[in-house]
């Protein structure tokens, strides 16, 4: 592991300015880029620590506040630890914000993130990798399908609704994806039921996408997030091993 340097970044989009966390090895050299999509709770100390850990492995990591249209992070007040009692009220506030982040808006923003990374001195040339958590897993899959020439690898962890019946479900982009994918589901996650897991697997296989989809037994939605009651250390470490393995093949 290496020392990292983190700073707040600002990225211009068609709809405003995104506040983001940029972290990378503190050696002054360019490194492969990873676009890191937040979960619904957004940018906060625990999530930024995850980005820093990824940077320690030799990557330049960008974590945008995808809810920037509603202000800088945090867009809603969060407790230091998110337990089951706190979740309903938090989601009451966050749900309308999530609904306003349409696929069209999200992918317009993704173009801005990717262009910004391509021009940053801390980023090595070539395609980037993408990873995402919870709603960020959906954004990861969409980005891989929308910008196939700019994404070398994409991962998603405890994603919700990745292969729904909706006409704009992200799995329908499978035939456009050229990146290698890794998606890890939680078997105790009602937001990604077995039928959707199977539908995603079938879509990726039919499209010839290089991929691996796994189900983490005993894990719940949010198993990577150490500041929530859903955290599962064993599943989290499994996620790190799988993510770093994917990135090692991409770059």
């Amino acid at each position: 592991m290496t020392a990292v340097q983190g700073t707040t970044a600002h990225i211009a989009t068609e709809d405003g300015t995104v506040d983001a966390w940029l972290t990378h090895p503190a050696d002054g050299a360019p490194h492969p880029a990873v676009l890191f999509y937040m979960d619904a709770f957004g940018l906060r100390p625990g999530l930024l620590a995850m980005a820093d850990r990824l940077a320690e492995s030799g990557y330049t990591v960008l974590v945008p506040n995808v809810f920037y249209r509603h202000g800088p992070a945090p867009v809603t007040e969060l407790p230091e630890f998110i337990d089951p009692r706190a979740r309903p009220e938090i989601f009451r506030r966050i749900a309308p914000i999530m609904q306003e982040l349409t696929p069209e808006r999200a992918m317009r923003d993704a173009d801005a993130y990717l262009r910004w990374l391509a021009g940053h001195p801390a980023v090595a040339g070539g395609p980037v990798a993408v990873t995402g958590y919870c709603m960020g897993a959906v954004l990861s899959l969409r980005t891989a399908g929308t910008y196939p020439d700019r994404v070398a690898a994409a991962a998603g962890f405890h994603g919700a609704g990745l292969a729904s019946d909706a006409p704009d479900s992200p799995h329908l982009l499978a035939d456009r994806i050229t990146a290698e994918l890794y998606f890890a589901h939680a078997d105790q996650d009602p937001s990604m039921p077995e039928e959707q897991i199977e539908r995603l697997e079938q879509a990726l296989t039919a499209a010839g996408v290089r991929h691996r989809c796994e189900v983490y037994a005993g894990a719940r939605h949010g198993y990577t997030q150490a500041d929530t009651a859903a955290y599962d250390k064993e599943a989290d470490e499994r996620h790190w091993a799988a993510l770093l393995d994917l990135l090692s093949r991409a770059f």
Side-chain angles (χ1 to χ4, degrees):
M1 298 299 178
T2 185
V4 301
Q5 178 181 341
T7 185
T8 300
H10 296 90
I11 302 169
T13 74
E14 293 181 21
D15 298 330
T17 300
V18 182
D19 54 303
W21 180 248
L22 180 72
T23 181
H24 53 82
D27 56 7
H31 295 271
V34 179
L35 174 57
F36 183 121
Y37 280 124
M38 63 187 226
D39 64 352
F41 297 132
L43 275 64
R44 59 198 191 280
L47 200 74
L48 303 190
M50 291 176 66
D52 288 346
R53 176 172 173 174
L54 190 52
E56 289 175 354
S57 293
Y59 302 100
T60 293
V61 184
L62 179 70
V63 192
N65 168 25
V66 302
F67 293 156
Y68 72 93
R69 291 176 180 84
H70 295 266
V75 296
T76 189
E77 185 177 351
L78 297 171
E80 289 186 11
F81 184 79
I82 301 170
D83 62 27
R85 291 173 299 176
R87 291 178 71 94
E89 175 58 24
I90 294 171
F91 273 103
R92 184 190 67 79
R93 299 192 301 265
I94 291 177
I97 298 173
M98 293 175 63
Q99 291 170 3
E100 289 183 25
L101 185 63
T102 63
E104 293 76 18
R105 286 178 172 175
M107 291 303 97
R108 194 163 67 233
D109 293 343
D111 177 55
Y113 307 149
L114 295 170
R115 285 188 287 105
W116 189 88
L117 282 168
H120 198 281
V123 175
V128 310
V130 187
T131 188
Y133 302 83
C134 180
M135 59 168 280
V138 172
L139 298 178
S140 179
L141 185 58
R142 286 197 189 282
T143 302
T146 305
Y147 301 105
D149 57 329
R150 290 189 266 176
V151 177
F157 301 91
H158 46 83
L162 291 166
S164 71
D165 293 325
D168 59 355
S169 176
H171 80 286
L172 298 175
L173 296 169
D175 61 354
R176 298 190 56 190
I177 295 172
T178 59
E180 181 179 353
L181 305 186
Y182 178 85
F183 280 78
H185 317 294
D187 72 345
Q188 305 297 312
D189 187 356
S191 69
M192 189 64 188
E194 185 175 353
E195 59 267 24
Q196 288 201 43
I197 293 174
E198 293 176 355
R199 188 179 296 140
L200 176 62
E201 175 68 34
Q202 291 168 1
L204 296 176
T205 299
V209 177
R210 293 169 297 154
H211 73 281
R212 184 154 54 102
C213 294
E214 296 186 318
V215 178
Y216 291 5
R220 293 179 289 169
H221 182 82
Y223 57 78
T224 62
Q225 304 302 304
D227 59 354
T228 76
Y231 181 66
D232 183 316
K233 183 174 178 56
E234 182 179 351
D236 183 33
E237 290 305 319
R238 183 177 174 182
H239 130 264
W240 280 113
L243 176 58
L244 292 174
D245 182 56
L246 175 70
L247 296 181
S248 72
R249 292 193 298 276
F251 300 117

